[in-house]
Amino acid sequence: MNIYVELNKVIEYVENHLQDQIDYKELSKMLGVNEYTFQRIFSLLSNVTVTEYIRNRRLSEAGQELYLKDEKVIDIAIKYGYNNPTAFSRAFEKFHGIKPSEVKNNPEKLQLYAKIHFKEITDVPNKKIEYKIVRQEQMILYGKSKETDNSHIRKDAPSFHKEMQKQYTKAQYGLVEYKDRERKFVKSYWILYDNKMPGLAKKVIPKSSWILIKIDSQEAKEIQKASETFYYDFLPSSKYNFSDLPEIEHYYDGVTDFLIPIEN
């Protein structure tokens, strides 16, 4: 299966059903994965969540129709899934910068959100990624977290490691928490230990199966590189269904085990 071809079929399906209720489970079936994994793949390859994409396409189409057709705002709102005209007006103004009632006199203000076309990067050679599936019982760890975001985690994580090592000892685990189920927006980064120490919070990692990729380094740049390789090269081509747990970095003997949770 070519993931890019299949995603373009998903896009065509969405385009043909912008005026209907779109079931994400049906979209995920087109890729042969579960709903969570589908949303993760979509956001990684498009840099937008599927929810945002559908909403933006609908508001883009609604703006054009309000200008080109003599239809009432309420009718356009209902047509594109907004049963509440106030909610439609609020979303429309946030997207276009003008109210729906102002479109006829200000068509130049309308924003166009183009249909996505997924294109495979053909000038990058395929990479072989070695991994194995492991079963991990529930883990009870202890540590501290630092609030961060996508723009700062690359610097925050290494500096937090140094800070915690001075206060306690070298970290045994690292963990990233996200604000959203699609894991698009980073919330915090954890440093964790097997042993309970003063000032550390308890962190329970549920029993799960994991994809394990071994990294022959504990350097932040190498771990970040391995993570990007996994999500951009491995994930789009895999058939594994991923569970809603964070990735874990386990440090020992000069290496790092990068663990990605999957459904049992």
Side-chain angles (χ1 to χ4, degrees), residues 67-234:
Y67 176 66
L68 295 171
K69 299 179 180 181
D70 293 320
E71 294 189 35
K72 296 180 180 179
V73 171
I74 183 62
D75 292 333
I76 294 293
I78 293 174
K79 186 176 183 178
Y80 285 99
Y82 290 83
N83 294 324
N84 185 322
T86 301
F88 173 71
S89 182
R90 188 182 300 117
F92 189 95
E93 185 173 6
K94 183 178 179 180
F95 181 82
H96 290 283
I98 56 173
K99 292 180 172 61
S101 58
E102 300 171 339
V103 169
K104 290 289 187 183
N105 296 325
N106 299 277
E108 72 280 359
K109 298 280 188 179
L110 291 176
Q111 301 295 311
L112 173 66
Y113 192 86
K115 181 178 75 172
I116 286 178
H117 176 71
F118 290 94
K119 183 178 180 181
E120 185 172 2
I121 301 174
T122 56
D123 58 347
V124 178
N126 291 332
K127 300 176 182 178
K128 181 180 180 181
I129 303 175
E130 296 183 356
Y131 70 97
K132 62 180 180 179
I133 305 297
V134 296
R135 179 70 176 169
Q136 180 69 52
E137 297 297 321
Q138 175 182 280
M139 301 170 66
I140 299 178
L141 304 174
Y142 304 89
K144 286 186 177 181
S145 65
K146 179 182 180 65
E147 289 189 4
T148 185
D149 56 35
N150 298 56
S151 302
H152 298 92
I153 190 170
R154 284 179 173 270
K155 291 184 178 180
D156 286 346
S159 64
F160 192 36
H161 271 272
K162 293 178 181 179
E163 178 185 329
M164 290 292 285
Q165 185 169 346
K166 289 180 181 179
Q167 187 175 358
Y168 294 94
T169 184
K170 189 175 181 180
Q172 293 173 294
Y173 302 88
L175 182 150
V176 180
E177 286 190 320
Y178 296 85
K179 295 179 180 179
D180 57 318
R181 181 174 173 82
E182 292 79 23
R183 292 159 145 176
K184 185 179 179 183
F185 302 105
V186 173
K187 176 183 178 182
S188 61
Y189 184 77
W190 282 79
I191 299 294
L192 296 159
Y193 304 90
D194 285 322
N195 301 321
K196 185 177 182 179
M197 291 179 277
L200 300 184
K202 183 178 179 180
K203 187 72 173 174
V204 178
I205 310 298
K207 178 180 180 181
S208 181
S209 293
W210 308 76
I211 290 176
L212 186 155
I213 298 175
K214 190 175 294 294
I215 307 165
D216 294 325
S217 172
Q218 292 183 356
E219 294 295 324
K221 289 183 178 180
E222 293 301 318
I223 295 171
Q224 291 165 359
K225 182 179 179 181
S227 176
E228 290 175 357
T229 297
F230 173 81
Y231 279 112
Y232 287 96
D233 294 334
F234 183 99

